[in-house]
Amino acid sequence: MTDALLSARDVMVRLGGVTIVSDATLTLHKGELAILVGPNGAGKTTLMRALAGLIPADGAIALSGRLLAALKPRERARRIAYLPQGHIFSWPMSVASIVMLGREPHADPFSGTSAEDRAAVERALAVTETSGFAARSVTTLSGGERARVALARALATQAPVLLADEPTASLDPRHQLVVMELLRQAARAGNAILATTHDLTLAARFADRVFVMDRGRIVAEGPPGEALSQERLSSVFDVVAEMIDLAGVRVPMPVRPR
Amino acid sequence: MERTSGYRIELALAALILALAVLSLMVGPAALSPRAALGGLISGDGPAGIIVREIRLPRMLLAALIGATFGLSGAALQGLLRNPLAEPALFGAPQAAAAAAALVIAFGLAPATSFAVPVAGILGATVSIGALVAIAGRRASLTVTLLAGLALASFAGAATALILNLAPNPFIALEIAFWLLGSLEDRSSDHLLIAAPFMLASWVVLAASARAFRALTLGEDAAASLGVDVSRTRLMVVIGVALGVGAAVAVAGAIGFVGLVAPHLVRRAVGSDPARVMLPAALAGAALLLAADIAVRLGPAAVEIKLGVVTALIGVPVFLAMIFRERRLLEGAPS
């Protein structure tokens, strides 16, 4: 396909002598919101970190046809934005200066912030509904507010590929929907997005494509209706799920452990 | 963006340093008026000229350079470890550097004003800072960092005790013991010449990592994803701090806590930005050590109080107050 922004083939990651991810092959397309699901310990975060170029991995990962390993760190940073789980903010910096860190890969060490940087930051603040506390110290915010600031930081880079690890964790229902809508819009604007979540209902509603990961392998890939079937939820997640009809979309709703 | 506009804090600190520098030339066993001190500095004539140029000028410059070096080192370690309590002295770096430098002098391996002394100090500091960053660097939880620091400081203390133990004669042991207290008494331009190049090099190395500290506020993974080479940054900080602290300690002995207090004083003024705090922290460090070195000369005692004693007496209570404020973090929450 010509619109592949990120493609990974046979990715294998070993950490401390243990194989965490094996034979992971996936392609992220322009305009597409892909969601990676899997039980705890399936290797989702490790795969995301490998795709972001943060840990060494066997296999081939390419960005628009260029090998990830051959890119300089700053060049890679301009092409892939990565939102880690857990949102660390070590210093009580203002929200605006945290989001400005997303412009770091574009920064010229000898000049200040450009008009483009400021526009990107303002846009990221606006779409994540965080403009209201741009001047506040990030350490005074609630968990959900911090999660949106972290996402704003990743969006401010305006990289063609966004890898977001649990962007909706710790968000209230409204902001879960806001963030998912936002990721879908960012994808439609011409980016490729891969997000992880434990909310299978949310994944089925918003994903264009779902990857299901289990014990280090991608065991299913496809439209949510196929990838998140009752049988698969039973075999991979060990849950009994019912399918419910949500405005014409059939989404799984886990009802009890198997 | 919301940062304090311009460089108000830097300008204020620079003015303070200038005032303290002049005061530093005036104060001593023979008190000089500002006019006499500056006159002596410019002309170099008469007793005032000799006192100012030969004795007080090197001392004043050393205090400013060493203070700036410690302020910058503290800010850099804090930026790297993402922890406001990081400071070279808490990890025994000055003690390790002093032990190594004293070893060279005590056993007559080199004259006291040769480059061998700062080089030994730098090696000693490298061991201490390198071990700290290796042990506490990756996850940098407050508890682990402080425990690692405690262990390293104890080890440096033991190494120093060993040198005192093995000193060839009691006079040398006494000399080392005084050295460890830290002082700028009777330092000459020779001391300035052997230490300044290393300190200036450390400023360059540390300043080059400033941007990385800003990205590191998001944690190591996010910083790496923003293009920061985290392992390289870690190495540069170890080298930079070791160069500066090692050289400073080689000429002035163990002076602690400037690196803790200086960044703490100016952090709010720069919106807690770990990169933007570097320059004000260096200036505040210079002002602090100049002030402390003036204070030790003002005391009524026949014997000058050692500079390192004064900085510890001021620094430790500040450190305890900071721990008290951060105790919520210490009680288990990740930093």
Side-chain angles (χ1 to χ4, degrees), chain A residues 24-235:
Chain A
T25 295
L26 62 86
T27 304
L28 301 180
H29 301 290
K30 187 173 175 168
E32 184 185 55
L33 170 58
I35 294 184
L36 176 62
V37 298
N40 291 129
K44 302 185 294 295
T45 295
T46 303
L47 176 58
M48 297 280 263
R49 295 179 73 213
L51 295 178
L54 301 178
I55 45 172
D58 290 338
I61 302 171
L63 272 177
S64 309
R66 292 186 58 188
L67 277 182
L68 185 64
L71 293 176
K72 290 201 179 78
R74 275 168 60 87
E75 201 176 345
R76 185 198 69 215
R78 283 193 291 269
R79 291 158 176 250
I80 305 183
Y82 172 64
L83 174 66
Q85 249 182 65
H87 319 129
I88 298 169
F89 300 109
S90 311
W91 299 102
M93 289 166 72
S94 74
V95 168
S97 40
I98 289 291
V99 176
M100 187 57 90
L101 286 173
R103 302 301 295 170
E104 201 61 17
H106 301 276
D108 171 348
F110 300 106
S111 65
T113 53
S114 66
E116 204 184 333
D117 292 334
R118 276 189 291 274
V121 167
E122 260 165 47
R123 202 180 133 60
L125 288 168
V127 295
T128 53
E129 301 188 347
T130 50
S131 308
F133 32 86
R136 265 175 63 189
S137 162
V138 70
T139 46
T140 65
L141 303 179
S142 74
E145 289 165 340
R146 287 179 189 217
R148 278 142 58 207
V149 170
L151 177 62
R153 191 278 302 164
L155 290 172
T157 306
Q158 300 187 330
V161 177
L162 170 63
L163 305 173
D165 205 351
E166 300 207 17
T168 57
S170 78
L171 292 181
D172 58 31
R174 175 171 188 279
H175 284 105
Q176 289 188 15
L177 296 172
V178 166
V179 163
M180 278 299 177
E181 285 285 356
L182 165 60
L183 292 179
R184 183 147 71 183
Q185 279 164 21
R188 297 295 179 265
N191 302 304
I193 297 179
L194 179 65
T196 66
T197 180
H198 282 298
D199 189 329
L200 302 175
T201 313
L202 209 59
R205 271 195 68 187
F206 285 94
D208 297 310
R209 211 145 45 98
V210 171
F211 296 98
V212 182
M213 216 174 165
D214 188 24
R215 279 165 286 178
R217 291 170 187 275
I218 295 178
V219 294
E221 174 198 342
E226 289 171 25
L228 296 176
S229 64
Q230 277 166 307
E231 297 72 39
R232 186 151 295 115
L233 295 190
S234 167
S235 67

Side-chain angles (χ1 to χ4, degrees), chain B residues 275-297:
Chain B
R276 176 79 167 71
V277 81
M278 304 267 293
L279 179 56
L283 294 172
L288 276 174
L289 206 59
L290 275 170
D293 189 47
I294 291 167
V296 297
R297 280 179 277 168

